[in-house]
Amino acid sequence: MSKKHFVLERGGQPPLPLILDIPDTTVTIMDILPILFEIADKTFSQTYRELSPGRQVSCGPGCGHCCRQLVPATDHEALHLMNVVGGLPETHRARVLQRFEDGVSKLSQAGLLKGMTDFLTKRVHMQEEYKVVQKLYWDLRIDCPFLENESCSIHPHRPIACRQYSVSSDPDLCARVFNPDTVLDEIHHPVDLGGALAGFDGDNARATVMVPILFAPLFEEKLRKRTKPRLEAERMIGRFIDLAGMYAKK
């Protein structure tokens, strides 16, 4: 491992220097996901420090409202989550797998599984349709398979979208997020790192690929068979940071 210096461009905000421990080997994107999560945490923490005085993040343990949304995880993170499931203690793993099964069954019984799968694989970039799909999913009240006691049971491994989403308004408002009269005080980060990861294959930019958390087991076999680009770690992380800068808000 070696310490390497990078700079993340953040649009209208000052560039963010990053010092990261990088493997001195070639890697796949799966190998460096923990480093990408570290980049996300450092970036979002910087956003919080830049907030105006008195504005505090409301999100925290015991508030699981957002854990019932259709979380836009990436294919890389979906496969990572299935690896995490495989490493859980037996009783925890059994609970999580049962929640996956129950959630997918709920979608199927509601007649939504096929349509949502088709949308996520073919038209996920269609924003207006995505909003409709999100609302249909929300109305079914499907808990994230990793949600226990209103908290994330695999918190260090959560997708970037989970790290990125945050509010400073009353957490109770998040329970009514799709009500027309609900106004959340969302914290908007200057860089969409989740979007950047969804548009990155480990080597080049690509079309956005999403596999929300609940769908991870359905796509696992396909994801494991996929060829994964391998590059020197420093080069791959540099490519991601460069791409992320393109997802910055001007």
Side-chain angles (χ1 to χ4, degrees):
M1 301 285 283
S2 301
K3 289 191 180 297
K4 301 294 182 180
H5 295 251
F6 302 89
V7 175
L8 174 63
E9 295 294 335
R10 300 191 304 144
Q13 295 297 108
L16 180 64
L18 295 165
I19 302 175
L20 305 168
D21 288 322
I22 305 299
D24 299 314
T25 58
T26 60
V27 295
T28 69
I29 196 167
M30 297 301 298
D31 298 324
I32 63 163
L33 272 181
I35 298 175
L36 302 190
F37 292 157
E38 179 186 356
I39 292 170
D41 290 341
K42 288 181 174 180
T43 303
F44 303 148
S45 293
Q46 181 65 21
T47 302
Y48 301 147
R49 286 193 290 269
E50 293 167 347
L51 296 177
S52 58
R55 193 177 180 206
Q56 299 293 326
V57 178
S58 305
C59 309
C63 181
H65 296 310
C66 63
C67 304
R68 296 178 176 90
Q69 295 190 42
L70 184 67
V71 177
T74 67
D75 50 339
H76 314 300
E77 293 167 316
L79 184 53
H80 173 69
L81 289 174
M82 295 314 299
N83 290 339
V84 170
V85 170
L88 293 174
E90 184 176 353
T91 54
H92 189 182
R93 182 170 65 251
R95 293 196 304 271
V96 169
L97 290 174
Q98 186 62 55
R99 292 190 200 108
F100 270 115
E101 184 177 330
D102 292 345
V104 170
S105 177
K106 205 168 188 177
L107 278 177
S108 182
Q109 290 171 11
L112 296 174
L113 182 59
K114 185 177 184 301
M116 283 194 181
T117 303
D118 184 68
F119 167 75
L120 291 167
T121 54
K122 300 177 182 177
R123 303 185 307 281
V124 72
H125 59 285
M126 306 293 288
Q127 288 299 311
E128 291 306 312
E129 187 176 358
Y130 182 51
K131 292 176 184 177
V132 174
V133 170
Q134 282 184 312
K135 178 63 164 59
L136 291 170
Y137 188 94
W138 173 264
D139 286 343
L140 290 177
R141 305 298 293 165
I142 298 173
D143 287 358
C144 172
F146 299 106
L147 184 66
E148 296 195 352
N149 299 318
E150 294 299 297
S151 297
C152 180
S153 64
I154 56 152
H155 196 258
H157 301 284
R158 69 199 188 283
I160 288 179
C162 300
R163 300 163 195 263
Q164 190 163 297
Y165 182 77
S166 47
V167 302
S168 60
S169 48
D170 185 338
D172 288 342
L173 289 174
C174 295
R176 304 189 295 277
V177 65
F178 286 100
N179 289 4
D181 58 346
T182 298
V183 179
L184 300 180
D185 186 6
E186 293 187 50
I187 297 169
H188 297 286
H189 299 279
V191 182
D192 179 11
L193 291 176
L197 184 57
F200 184 60
D201 70 0
D203 186 9
N204 295 304
R206 63 170 189 186
T208 296
V209 181
M210 263 182 50
V211 180
I213 292 174
L214 186 68
F215 289 74
L218 305 180
F219 286 82
E220 181 181 8
E221 182 177 356
K222 179 180 179 180
L223 293 176
R224 292 200 184 281
K225 290 180 179 178
R226 183 183 59 185
T227 301
K228 302 173 183 64
R230 179 173 288 275
L231 296 175
E232 292 181 359
E234 183 178 0
R235 184 180 176 202
M236 184 178 287
I237 292 166
R239 281 177 175 265
F240 173 76
I241 289 174
D242 287 345
L243 178 63
M246 298 173 64
Y247 280 72
K249 299 173 183 175
K250 305 301 183 183

